[in-house]
Amino acid sequence: MKAIRRFTVRPVLPEPLLPLGELARNLRWSWHAGTRDLFRRVDPDGRLPAGGDPVQVLGSVSAARLAELAADPDFLHALTEAAADLDTYLRGPRWYQEQPAGLPAAIGYFSPEFGVTAALPQYSGGLGILAGDHLKAASDLGVPLIAVGLLYRHGYFRQSLSRDGWQQEHYPVLDPDELPVSLLRERDGSPCQISLTLPGGRSLRAHIWQARVGRVPLLMLDSDVEENEPGERGVTDRLYGGGSEHRLLQEMLLGIGGVRALRTYCRLTGHPDPEVFHTNEGHAGFLGLERIRELAGAGLDFDAGLEAVRAGTVFTTHTPVPAGIDRFDRELVARHFGDDGELPGVDPVRVLQLGTESYPGGEPNLFNMAVMGLRLAQRANGVSTLHGAVSREMFAGLWPGFDPDEVPITSITNGVHAPTWVAPEVTRLGSARPAAAGTGGASAGTGGAAAGPGGPTGQVRGVGHTGDTGDTGHTGDTGHTGDTGQAGPLDGPEAWDDAARITDADIWELRRTLREQLVGEVRTRLHASWRGRGASEAELGWIEGVLDPSVLTIGFARRVPSYKRLTLMLRDRDRLTDLLLHPTRPIQIVVAGKAHPADDGGKRLVQELVRFADDPRVRHRIVFLPDYGMAMAERLYPGCDVWLNNPLRPLEACGTSGMKAALNGCLNLSVLDGWWDEWFEPDFGWAIPTADGSGTDEDRRDELESAALYELIEDRVVPRFYDRDSAGLPERWVGMVRSTLATLGPKVLAGRMVREYVERLYAPAALAHRALGPGPARELADWKARVRAAWPDVHVDHVEAVAATTPNGTAELGSTLELRVQVALGALRPDDVEVQAVSGRVDAQDRIAQARTVALKPAGGPDLEGHWLYEGPLALDRTGPYGYTVRILPAHQLLATGAEMGLLALPTVATGEGAGVLLR
């Protein structure tokens, strides 16, 4: 008989074991090896696998075992130390607390998904994993984030395969009582509840669940509450599920409800209210509207509230393609706002204007969440240098007249949280600190690996202190034995310096050990997958021969949209088969990935790959593992020798999986896209040439790039892996591994990323927020309205160059032109604008590249016709074809950039001699 309801009965811990509850409830255990080791001692039967949840361990351990532990002095000593270490970590000063005064007292960080641990499956892919790493690094650094998301009762789907390789989705029900979360309660013990108003007098209510991610609280809203109607109860059922209205309600709950949940948390705990709000992708963009509503209650009208909100808001875009942005029908959005919906008193027309695609090619009937995010944030960024450039091009229509380089979207390249993703074996190897510099030969007590495929299995020897558990926390994770407030050694650049001193033999033994562990993991998962596909045990004996710990292993794992090109490797199947089955220098490939449930095209790609991998000729050399997630990734990244990434450039915003692989000594083989475009060096891996010219169709492009991929593997990757010295070591390969760890490692860290967010975005946003109190906000809103009204009358009337210091009348390097510019400002005054000279080299179409901007100064009052004269020098500091122009921009001390308002005035062809190219 089936139970009509399930729940978890939690144990009553004996008094001496009470600290176990606190250790289990804080997700720091997910990246703190010492705490995980402690819980493995609680559960000697091994119910805590990689990604396992100590809360579940405590829920299943017997009372007799708890009594045994309560009387074990060794265990109690370890428990006391772990509890004290967590207390120091949570309360001691860290990097953030040691910075100069002026940083924000708190930052609200909103994201639709968070990948913190496999035990809390609230993520689908890179966006969620990045958000989880952001929280962990912020915790390590002491950054006062409060994270806000949704609690999806089915999470993202679990993936399995049918017998013929078709992806199948399963949505297990998640019971919050079995997750490492707790319900936020009012002081009287009742569950906290927030509510949204829906059309027709309905309400959407939600409870607030809290997870502790080290020092960072993660608040998750859950609509599965009894007071809701069935439709509203299901709003938070699935991540990225449902139709348009379902998704809209999810995003309203995340943004509007998230702000209300955050206010509730701060009220109950005394935590400072955020000064800065960070919107991680457009899904949470409605948070800005809720904050405008809050300010309306304080007496600010919509425009003044908008300015105050923008000042303290940071928006991060993660998509390089318009198709990746949530867009809703305008009528659907309008129906949910106004007097019959949310934000009564806020004109729905003003709401709709924020998301309108008011640029050439935009669709006026759609409401664009990313466009709203950009209009509600004074600071915005992409997630790699290349993605920043792509985003400036993609959204340039919001700043008409400005070159894409001047669009106010910067970039902060993503990073990954090393204590989460670095294998314990890598940590131990680094901590051994061998005395000899490692450029060849084996250290004492180590052995060389087999020279080719099929050799004996090697073990790591002499690569750690006696009794070293690979604890990346304890004193290691905090980075100090006292309260120095520094980040953990794995997430700080100094941690990777020791890689240069590790011997070749130790590195090679490490790589073989990690590869061997991956082989075991793959066989276990592949066996389970085939059993799920209906195979009997009698059919599966071949799995014991799948993969070889001595063979060059390539990994490919990610979501499966078409642009990531899962099946590019299958373009020439005969050539790939030859690589897999080479008699002396074979390769083997491990593939994983999920297609979106609604993406049949992605599912066909999965099936195509699976069917190839099912072929008995090659199935021992290439495998597809279903249900890719964090638990699998923690073994997959370290165990691969090469990480493959072949998206259509430039459609990969960042691509952090290759970063995680690199931190484990895995070399990257990737298209120059995302972060690899920024940091690629031949010492770290290989760049796949791209055929991204406008004249190349998609099929031809795939043909060219797959051929380049095969050629790289055949001619560069395989020889470097298998060419061995007299000791059986691939010296050049090991040198690349060492360079990856020592030089690339410090760049890809989440600690570096979060520091950049603090210094470049959070700190300036906090200052702007403080400057925009009610009075200044009203003043700025009024000034912007006045400038917009007057701007049609602002123009450049005449430009000329006079008193040029040019010998013989020619323009030479180092000479100077004196510019005189006559402008009309209409109802504005010089204090309202800045007149600039923009100069630099020009191309054949007279477009200025690498522009240099100089502000010109007003020279006296207006003439009788109201024209103002501006003057200034123009230094000719570059040779070759050179040109200049002038322009007028709005200017105010509270604007973040001159492009913020999207207004400028440029000369016309008849303006004067300086309007075009000066000299060729």
Side-chain angles (χ1 to χ4, degrees), residues 209-289:
W209 294 90
Q210 179 186 179
R212 302 294 306 186
V213 186
R215 298 165 69 112
V216 174
L218 168 57
L219 309 178
M220 294 174 287
L221 284 82
D222 172 19
S223 68
D224 189 13
V225 299
E226 293 182 359
E227 294 90 337
N228 279 335
E229 295 296 322
E232 283 73 57
R233 289 190 73 160
V235 165
T236 57
D237 56 355
R238 299 177 181 180
L239 177 57
Y240 302 141
S244 291
E245 184 163 18
H246 187 87
R247 289 286 294 275
L248 177 64
L249 290 176
Q250 283 189 341
E251 299 186 7
M252 290 176 63
L253 183 61
L254 174 60
I256 298 170
V259 173
R260 294 172 187 175
L262 191 153
R263 302 299 189 203
T264 300
Y265 175 82
C266 292
R267 170 176 59 81
L268 291 172
T269 64
H271 194 292
D273 281 312
E275 296 182 274
V276 174
F277 286 76
H278 185 173
T279 306
N280 193 40
E281 252 312 336
H283 308 285
F286 288 122
L287 72 88
L289 294 176

Side-chain angles (χ1 to χ4, degrees), residues 736-751:
M736 293 179 70
V737 173
R738 182 181 290 107
S739 294
T740 294
L741 292 172
T743 307
L744 183 58
K747 295 181 179 180
V748 302
L749 299 177

Side-chain angles (χ1 to χ4, degrees), residues 720-791:
R720 186 154 296 194
F721 182 85
Y722 286 111
D723 287 348
R724 311 290 167 84
D725 63 15
S726 59
L729 298 174
E731 184 177 345
R732 292 194 301 162
W733 186 278
V734 171
M736 293 179 70
V737 173
R738 182 181 290 107
S739 294
T740 294
L741 292 172
T743 307
L744 183 58
K747 295 181 179 180
V748 302
L749 299 177
R752 183 270 312 155
M753 172 189 72
V754 171
R755 285 185 178 97
E756 287 193 42
Y757 272 104
V758 169
E759 294 163 355
R760 295 175 51 197
L761 295 177
Y762 295 164
L767 292 175
H769 163 77
R770 293 165 194 160
L772 261 290
R778 292 189 188 94
E779 177 191 338
L780 181 60
D782 291 345
W783 177 84
K784 283 188 173 182
R786 181 167 59 85
V787 168
R788 289 191 182 99
W791 203 255

Side-chain angles (χ1 to χ4, degrees), residues 98 162 186 199 259 376 392 410 418 508 524 536 639 644 649 659 690 705 715 722 726 767 785 798 841-842 854 863 883:
E98 296 180 348
S162 68
E186 296 287 352
V259 173
L376 284 171
R392 288 188 288 274
T410 185
W508 189 234
T524 299
S536 67
L644 175 62
R649 186 181 192 272
M659 295 179 171
T690 55
E705 294 185 13
D715 298 342
Y722 286 111
S726 59
L767 292 175
H798 185 70
R841 291 193 182 93
V842 291
V854 177
D863 62 17

Side-chain angles (χ1 to χ4, degrees), residues 178-374:
E178 295 179 349
L179 299 176
V181 298
S182 60
L183 198 58
L184 188 65
R185 296 182 180 275
E186 296 287 352
R187 293 187 176 90
D188 62 4
S190 61
C192 294
Q193 189 176 104
I194 62 95
S195 178
L196 270 65
T197 301
L198 302 183
R202 297 174 297 133
S203 294
L204 171 59
R205 301 172 180 86
H207 286 158
I208 306 165
W209 294 90
Q210 179 186 179
R212 302 294 306 186
V213 186
R215 298 165 69 112
V216 174
L218 168 57
L219 309 178
M220 294 174 287
L221 284 82
D222 172 19
S223 68
D224 189 13
V225 299
E226 293 182 359
E227 294 90 337
N228 279 335
E229 295 296 322
E232 283 73 57
R233 289 190 73 160
V235 165
T236 57
D237 56 355
R238 299 177 181 180
L239 177 57
Y240 302 141
S244 291
E245 184 163 18
H246 187 87
R247 289 286 294 275
L248 177 64
L249 290 176
Q250 283 189 341
E251 299 186 7
M252 290 176 63
L253 183 61
L254 174 60
I256 298 170
V259 173
R260 294 172 187 175
L262 191 153
R263 302 299 189 203
T264 300
Y265 175 82
C266 292
R267 170 176 59 81
L268 291 172
T269 64
H271 194 292
D273 281 312
E275 296 182 274
V276 174
F277 286 76
H278 185 173
T279 306
N280 193 40
E281 252 312 336
H283 308 285
F286 288 122
L287 72 88
L289 294 176
E290 168 64 5
R291 294 175 59 214
I292 291 174
R293 185 199 64 81
E294 290 179 329
L295 292 171
L300 291 188
D301 63 16
F302 187 92
D303 290 319
L306 174 61
E307 296 306 328
V309 165
R310 290 185 71 255
T313 301
V314 172
F315 174 71
T316 297
T317 174
H318 289 263
T319 178
V321 289
I325 298 169
D326 275 349
R327 301 154 87 200
F328 298 104
D329 185 271
R330 283 171 56 91
E331 293 183 3
L332 175 65
V333 176
R335 190 163 68 246
H336 281 82
F337 288 93
D339 292 337
D340 190 39
E342 260 304 324
L343 311 184
V346 175
D347 186 351
V349 173
R350 301 302 305 272
V351 174
L352 294 174
Q353 287 173 344
L354 291 171
T356 299
E357 297 180 352
S358 57
Y359 43 79
E363 297 189 34
N365 292 324
L366 292 180
F367 184 90
N368 187 309
M369 294 296 290
V371 168
M372 179 178 69
L374 290 166

Side-chain angles (χ1 to χ4, degrees), residues 523-605:
R523 291 174 181 174
T524 299
R525 289 180 177 273
L526 192 62
H527 183 275
S529 174
W530 271 103
R531 290 289 285 164
R533 294 172 71 180
S536 67
E537 285 290 343
E539 298 177 74
L540 302 180
W542 60 273
I543 288 179
E544 288 305 310
V546 167
L547 304 190
D548 183 329
S550 301
V551 170
L552 170 63
T553 304
I554 298 175
F556 182 102
R558 50 192 36 87
R559 292 183 302 109
V560 191
S562 59
Y563 78 86
K564 291 182 183 283
R565 297 192 294 185
L566 171 72
T567 57
L568 186 69
M569 65 180 77
L570 303 182
R571 184 78 185 191
D572 186 337
R573 298 188 180 203
D574 290 339
R575 196 168 179 182
L576 176 59
T577 299
D578 289 343
L579 283 166
L580 294 169
L581 302 181
H582 194 281
T584 59
R585 295 184 168 193
I587 68 170
Q588 57 195 15
I589 306 175
V590 182
V591 184
K594 292 180 176 181
H596 189 279
D599 182 10
D600 283 349
K603 293 180 184 180
R604 283 190 288 271
L605 296 178

